[in-house]
Amino acid sequence: MKEQLPDFQAITRLKQGDLAGLDALIARYQLRALRAVYLIVRDSALAEDIVQDAFIRLAQKISQFDDARPFAPWFLRIVLNDALKATQRQKRQISLDGCEAGETAAMIEAITDPQPDPETLIADAETCHEVWLALDCLLPEQRAVIVQRYYLGYSEAEMSIELRRPPGTIKWLLHAARQRLRSLLATFDPTRSEIGVCEEE
Amino acid sequence: MDEHPLTRILSKLAEDGIPDDLDLRATVHHRLETSKTQPEKGDFPMKASSVRVRYIIATAALVMTLLSAVLLFTPQGRAWAQTVLGFFTRAESDVLPVETPVPGTDTPDTLWIFNLSISEVEQQAGFDVLEPAWLPEGLAFTGALYEAESHMVRVSYSLQDFGTNGVNLTEEPIPEGSEECELCGQVVGASALIETVPIGDVMGQYVPGVWQADDAGQWNWVSDPYLQTLRWQVHGMAFELLAMAPSDIVTKADLIAMAESIPVPPDAGQSLATATAPTPTCGSWAKPICTLAEAQQQVDFTVQMLPESAGLQLKGAYAEPGLVLLRYSDAVDLFQMRPERRGDASLVGASAQIEPVQIGETQGEYVQGVWLDSQDSPVSEWQNEGSQSLRWQQNGMFYILNAYRGDSNKEQMAEWASSLVAYSASDRPDLTHIRQLSETEALVGYPITPLDSAPEGYIFTHASIHQPTRSVCLHYMYDGNDGPGPYLLLAQGPADMAPALIQTAGAAPSQPRAATIGGAEQSYSLDAHSWERSGEWACTSADTRSNYDESYLTLTWQIDQRQYDLYTPVPFGRCLFRESFSELDLLRLAETVTGISTHPSDEFDPACTQDIDQMEAFAGFDIKVPAWMPDGLILRGASSWKPGEGVMLYYSFPDDNHTAVTIGQNPIPVTAGADLLDDVKDVLSGGSEKDDFPAEGYRRLTVNGAPAVMILGCWLSDENGNLVWYQEPDFLQTLWWKKDGMLFAVYGLWSSNDGIAAQTNLVSIAESMR
């Protein structure tokens, strides 16, 4: 099946002008890219636009791709950069309104503890809802590093390489993002109205 | 592996926002079909080569790579290629296992770019390239390239109207008396349709098809007529025509006709067998090292130089057929090239401010700005600041004058451009940049003694002469980094003309230390940044100091009335940086000049040794070595400054320049009852920094039952020079503990080794040092 083509073969075909190669890459990476972008821009339609654009540019500029490099981190970096640019264009106002009251101590503990007690795990919809709202209060760059580290699963070293930033900067960004998230969750206002993305769980 | 709760939550959020069944393929296809690519970059009137040609070339290169990879990368391919005599040999099946790197993931270092003219490729190859007198309709010459390793020339003819690849002609001389050549055999699938066809008076073989890799990691032969190969030999020459085009546009008959139209003189093979193609190396664009004379030899036009009035020093030249780059001090480059070689050099951003500038009787264009992030994204972004570029055409040549620093200006650059000076072999030699020692010797009138061999990783780049003192500076550059340098400089000249050594202003007082250099007199090791020559001399004068600003004097000696100085900016040991030199390394280098060796290869070097026993003898105490290390880390070496003082053990990954884990062990006077934290403060603060760690900056624990403290950060200076406590998990953590009059420390620095510095790792390392 075409979508099972390995990356290198898909890229080779795409470089030869065969769009089957592009299909294989889209099939393999679209959901991961879309979801990562969505977590940053928080708008599924905009996420679709960004990832579509990225695939189209990929097809047009594939000759510039260095075959010696792994495709996935290269492509995901592009879409994440595009997502950040999109948030800048949106000029979203980062407001802390609605994030300043309430107590979610158990959730904070669970989120910040990499090995939580299963009994205290926060698998309920409320937690997802609160994290979603708290993410909105982060700067886009902070959301991006959170997404890379905790959604895409990059190590800090990989992030340093892919973002071409010193490891110290990555660590600082992550630290700041985590601290911000933590403080936001600690003062979360559960009455704030937003889409409850986890409520169906 | 436990999943972080935040990971789980983010996954849920993302899956809710983007459902599994979302598929962009149809939309992307539709947009691709309906979109018309808009130019994203503005351009100068002197427009560059088309992207399409490059696309075609790159595609052709990829297909060719895929084909050759079968032979190169599969054991069967290699074996068969060595034994078969026919142009094509059928494999036993149409499937070959791929046991080694798969084509496409292991791209050759140099992508095939057909960017040379026939005359240029002949100059590189050293033999006449034979061209077909007839081409199928629609085919046009694209360019050629030379593969030095296989001594083959590839010529590309593309199908311009169809936007597809076309035909590649490859030519290879068969060495006299040899039956082996790259084009002499190729493995094809068992089902391949090999045809023997007449080509003039000889027979060739034709086969349609290609090896394709599948998901199972196997090569499958596909008789796809899009790829057609014709091979033949005549008069000691091997040829291949590879068509990459629809078979109804380039037919088998076309290939045969094309082959028959190539005139091959009877002595072609013989003359090719004796042809030599010495291509003088000029380094690279990043590291131009040629002299003007060498650059001039590479091109068929007269090299132009910036005028002396520019006050810039030539640092080196780079040349290849049709193009010369002169790199000057103060980050100024002058490119000069045949117009067809200018490539995309003219492209600037759509927002660029292009200003007309009069240069003599011609008009050029000036722009300030730079493309950013070309490697990070398919789309580079133009920024209207930074580098300045002046471009013009004159007398059939295309010029670019780039100034990468901000202290030049448009008017100044135009003035330089208006007064270029033609290089002449009869010109006074450029004393700042001489490649040949013999030429240097002729100019100074005495024999020059270089290092017997450049240190590992270093190359000799050039010599420069300080005329008033007849002293010479030999420049050796470390070639293992991305950018130029660091440099190792060796100065020499008549001793009676060498200015005296004086202490560097502001340096802490220090005395030269007597050094042992075989056969030398007045040999001294000098502390870094402490000593200099009191007047101009080799390596430090205006004429010779082009690489001095990064260096300092570390070793000086005399022999036979000749004064020698050795300068290096990296006087540590190779435990820390691969390009560094310990004092013993430098002494050995000096002895390659004197020719008398007194430092045997097994002499103990406390700056970096893997001999722990000898280090113990030197240090005067038992060194504890950890029995456990995180996977992959190896001992790079141990170092110590003075007997009785601390010893450091450096651990890193084999190919990493960075040290991931460092272990220090220092004998200290242990005050009875003193708190460990006080000892650590004494070591770290030295009385000049803050005395205390913040409460959250450390935690107490034990190492094998002994009290220990994990310091979780460090004091760093901020932009105002104030010390601030910097603490980040995994940034820098140091585990300290005392035992038997020794203070131990395991440093974990994040560097590029994420996870290595985890506290649990540091404790495990420490506890394994029993």
PDB file of all heavy atoms in Angstrom, chain B residues 672-690:
ATOM      1  N   ALA B 672      37.624  18.607  61.499  1.00  0.00           N
ATOM      2  CA  ALA B 672      36.785  17.686  62.272  1.00  0.00           C
ATOM      3  C   ALA B 672      35.445  18.336  62.571  1.00  0.00           C
ATOM      4  O   ALA B 672      35.386  19.456  63.079  1.00  0.00           O
ATOM      5  CB  ALA B 672      37.485  17.299  63.562  1.00  0.00           C
ATOM      6  N   GLY B 673      34.435  17.664  62.195  1.00  0.00           N
ATOM      7  CA  GLY B 673      33.104  18.155  62.517  1.00  0.00           C
ATOM      8  C   GLY B 673      32.570  19.195  61.567  1.00  0.00           C
ATOM      9  O   GLY B 673      31.432  19.642  61.706  1.00  0.00           O
ATOM     10  N   ALA B 674      33.393  19.636  60.606  1.00  0.00           N
ATOM     11  CA  ALA B 674      32.917  20.669  59.682  1.00  0.00           C
ATOM     12  C   ALA B 674      31.796  20.118  58.821  1.00  0.00           C
ATOM     13  O   ALA B 674      31.790  18.952  58.454  1.00  0.00           O
ATOM     14  CB  ALA B 674      34.054  21.149  58.810  1.00  0.00           C
ATOM     15  N   ASP B 675      30.880  20.968  58.495  1.00  0.00           N
ATOM     16  CA  ASP B 675      29.769  20.551  57.647  1.00  0.00           C
ATOM     17  C   ASP B 675      30.245  20.424  56.206  1.00  0.00           C
ATOM     18  O   ASP B 675      31.013  21.257  55.707  1.00  0.00           O
ATOM     19  CB  ASP B 675      28.643  21.581  57.733  1.00  0.00           C
ATOM     20  CG  ASP B 675      27.409  21.083  57.006  1.00  0.00           C
ATOM     21  OD1 ASP B 675      26.632  20.361  57.634  1.00  0.00           O
ATOM     22  OD2 ASP B 675      27.267  21.406  55.815  1.00  0.00           O
ATOM     23  N   LEU B 676      29.796  19.401  55.540  1.00  0.00           N
ATOM     24  CA  LEU B 676      30.189  19.185  54.140  1.00  0.00           C
ATOM     25  C   LEU B 676      29.878  20.408  53.289  1.00  0.00           C
ATOM     26  O   LEU B 676      30.644  20.788  52.402  1.00  0.00           O
ATOM     27  CB  LEU B 676      29.454  17.949  53.602  1.00  0.00           C
ATOM     28  CG  LEU B 676      29.584  17.676  52.103  1.00  0.00           C
ATOM     29  CD1 LEU B 676      31.032  17.390  51.736  1.00  0.00           C
ATOM     30  CD2 LEU B 676      28.708  16.488  51.695  1.00  0.00           C
ATOM     31  N   LEU B 677      28.754  21.018  53.546  1.00  0.00           N
ATOM     32  CA  LEU B 677      28.353  22.167  52.747  1.00  0.00           C
ATOM     33  C   LEU B 677      29.381  23.295  52.854  1.00  0.00           C
ATOM     34  O   LEU B 677      29.628  24.020  51.880  1.00  0.00           O
ATOM     35  CB  LEU B 677      26.972  22.652  53.193  1.00  0.00           C
ATOM     36  CG  LEU B 677      26.194  23.490  52.181  1.00  0.00           C
ATOM     37  CD1 LEU B 677      25.994  22.732  50.877  1.00  0.00           C
ATOM     38  CD2 LEU B 677      24.844  23.900  52.749  1.00  0.00           C
ATOM     39  N   ASP B 678      29.997  23.443  54.011  1.00  0.00           N
ATOM     40  CA  ASP B 678      31.018  24.476  54.169  1.00  0.00           C
ATOM     41  C   ASP B 678      32.226  24.178  53.284  1.00  0.00           C
ATOM     42  O   ASP B 678      32.824  25.077  52.689  1.00  0.00           O
ATOM     43  CB  ASP B 678      31.443  24.576  55.631  1.00  0.00           C
ATOM     44  CG  ASP B 678      30.314  25.108  56.506  1.00  0.00           C
ATOM     45  OD1 ASP B 678      29.476  25.878  55.964  1.00  0.00           O
ATOM     46  OD2 ASP B 678      30.257  24.739  57.685  1.00  0.00           O
ATOM     47  N   ASP B 679      32.617  22.902  53.214  1.00  0.00           N
ATOM     48  CA  ASP B 679      33.737  22.534  52.342  1.00  0.00           C
ATOM     49  C   ASP B 679      33.410  22.830  50.886  1.00  0.00           C
ATOM     50  O   ASP B 679      34.243  23.319  50.132  1.00  0.00           O
ATOM     51  CB  ASP B 679      34.053  21.034  52.503  1.00  0.00           C
ATOM     52  CG  ASP B 679      34.666  20.737  53.856  1.00  0.00           C
ATOM     53  OD1 ASP B 679      35.475  21.557  54.337  1.00  0.00           O
ATOM     54  OD2 ASP B 679      34.314  19.705  54.440  1.00  0.00           O
ATOM     55  N   VAL B 680      32.198  22.509  50.504  1.00  0.00           N
ATOM     56  CA  VAL B 680      31.796  22.755  49.114  1.00  0.00           C
ATOM     57  C   VAL B 680      31.795  24.255  48.824  1.00  0.00           C
ATOM     58  O   VAL B 680      32.267  24.708  47.789  1.00  0.00           O
ATOM     59  CB  VAL B 680      30.403  22.147  48.842  1.00  0.00           C
ATOM     60  CG1 VAL B 680      29.937  22.493  47.437  1.00  0.00           C
ATOM     61  CG2 VAL B 680      30.454  20.637  49.013  1.00  0.00           C
ATOM     62  N   LYS B 681      31.295  25.015  49.780  1.00  0.00           N
ATOM     63  CA  LYS B 681      31.299  26.467  49.599  1.00  0.00           C
ATOM     64  C   LYS B 681      32.722  26.984  49.444  1.00  0.00           C
ATOM     65  O   LYS B 681      32.999  27.842  48.587  1.00  0.00           O
ATOM     66  CB  LYS B 681      30.640  27.145  50.794  1.00  0.00           C
ATOM     67  CG  LYS B 681      29.146  27.017  50.853  1.00  0.00           C
ATOM     68  CD  LYS B 681      28.645  27.630  52.152  1.00  0.00           C
ATOM     69  CE  LYS B 681      27.179  27.305  52.365  1.00  0.00           C
ATOM     70  NZ  LYS B 681      26.746  27.704  53.716  1.00  0.00           N
ATOM     71  N   ASP B 682      33.630  26.444  50.238  1.00  0.00           N
ATOM     72  CA  ASP B 682      35.018  26.887  50.136  1.00  0.00           C
ATOM     73  C   ASP B 682      35.569  26.619  48.746  1.00  0.00           C
ATOM     74  O   ASP B 682      36.254  27.439  48.144  1.00  0.00           O
ATOM     75  CB  ASP B 682      35.888  26.157  51.168  1.00  0.00           C
ATOM     76  CG  ASP B 682      35.637  26.679  52.573  1.00  0.00           C
ATOM     77  OD1 ASP B 682      35.056  27.778  52.684  1.00  0.00           O
ATOM     78  OD2 ASP B 682      36.018  25.987  53.525  1.00  0.00           O
ATOM     79  N   VAL B 683      35.266  25.423  48.242  1.00  0.00           N
ATOM     80  CA  VAL B 683      35.780  25.057  46.926  1.00  0.00           C
ATOM     81  C   VAL B 683      35.139  25.904  45.829  1.00  0.00           C
ATOM     82  O   VAL B 683      35.814  26.414  44.938  1.00  0.00           O
ATOM     83  CB  VAL B 683      35.516  23.555  46.646  1.00  0.00           C
ATOM     84  CG1 VAL B 683      35.864  23.214  45.200  1.00  0.00           C
ATOM     85  CG2 VAL B 683      36.313  22.700  47.594  1.00  0.00           C
ATOM     86  N   LEU B 684      33.834  26.078  45.903  1.00  0.00           N
ATOM     87  CA  LEU B 684      33.124  26.743  44.810  1.00  0.00           C
ATOM     88  C   LEU B 684      33.221  28.255  44.870  1.00  0.00           C
ATOM     89  O   LEU B 684      33.357  28.926  43.852  1.00  0.00           O
ATOM     90  CB  LEU B 684      31.647  26.323  44.812  1.00  0.00           C
ATOM     91  CG  LEU B 684      31.373  24.878  44.439  1.00  0.00           C
ATOM     92  CD1 LEU B 684      29.883  24.622  44.416  1.00  0.00           C
ATOM     93  CD2 LEU B 684      31.975  24.536  43.081  1.00  0.00           C
ATOM     94  N   SER B 685      33.128  28.811  46.057  1.00  0.00           N
ATOM     95  CA  SER B 685      33.076  30.268  46.113  1.00  0.00           C
ATOM     96  C   SER B 685      34.458  30.874  46.133  1.00  0.00           C
ATOM     97  O   SER B 685      34.675  31.956  45.593  1.00  0.00           O
ATOM     98  CB  SER B 685      32.303  30.710  47.358  1.00  0.00           C
ATOM     99  OG  SER B 685      33.067  30.473  48.520  1.00  0.00           O
ATOM    100  N   GLY B 686      35.407  30.177  46.721  1.00  0.00           N
ATOM    101  CA  GLY B 686      36.749  30.731  46.782  1.00  0.00           C
ATOM    102  C   GLY B 686      36.779  32.063  47.508  1.00  0.00           C
ATOM    103  O   GLY B 686      37.708  32.844  47.371  1.00  0.00           O
ATOM    104  N   GLY B 687      35.770  32.348  48.208  1.00  0.00           N
ATOM    105  CA  GLY B 687      35.720  33.591  48.951  1.00  0.00           C
ATOM    106  C   GLY B 687      35.308  34.794  48.130  1.00  0.00           C
ATOM    107  O   GLY B 687      35.105  35.880  48.656  1.00  0.00           O
ATOM    108  N   SER B 688      35.180  34.629  46.804  1.00  0.00           N
ATOM    109  CA  SER B 688      34.885  35.796  45.977  1.00  0.00           C
ATOM    110  C   SER B 688      33.436  35.819  45.504  1.00  0.00           C
ATOM    111  O   SER B 688      32.978  36.799  44.967  1.00  0.00           O
ATOM    112  CB  SER B 688      35.803  35.811  44.748  1.00  0.00           C
ATOM    113  OG  SER B 688      35.573  34.656  43.977  1.00  0.00           O
ATOM    114  N   GLU B 689      32.760  34.714  45.658  1.00  0.00           N
ATOM    115  CA  GLU B 689      31.378  34.688  45.216  1.00  0.00           C
ATOM    116  C   GLU B 689      30.456  34.637  46.430  1.00  0.00           C
ATOM    117  O   GLU B 689      30.887  34.795  47.568  1.00  0.00           O
ATOM    118  CB  GLU B 689      31.158  33.478  44.303  1.00  0.00           C
ATOM    119  CG  GLU B 689      32.012  33.552  43.050  1.00  0.00           C
ATOM    120  CD  GLU B 689      31.802  32.338  42.174  1.00  0.00           C
ATOM    121  OE1 GLU B 689      31.113  31.405  42.624  1.00  0.00           O
ATOM    122  OE2 GLU B 689      32.330  32.338  41.061  1.00  0.00           O
ATOM    123  N   LYS B 690      29.233  34.401  46.151  1.00  0.00           N
ATOM    124  CA  LYS B 690      28.306  34.349  47.260  1.00  0.00           C
ATOM    125  C   LYS B 690      28.646  33.180  48.179  1.00  0.00           C
ATOM    126  O   LYS B 690      29.134  32.146  47.742  1.00  0.00           O
ATOM    127  CB  LYS B 690      26.883  34.205  46.728  1.00  0.00           C
ATOM    128  CG  LYS B 690      26.464  35.409  45.912  1.00  0.00           C
ATOM    129  CD  LYS B 690      24.959  35.556  45.930  1.00  0.00           C
ATOM    130  CE  LYS B 690      24.576  36.855  45.258  1.00  0.00           C
ATOM    131  NZ  LYS B 690      23.141  37.124  45.359  1.00  0.00           N
TER     132      LYS B 690
END
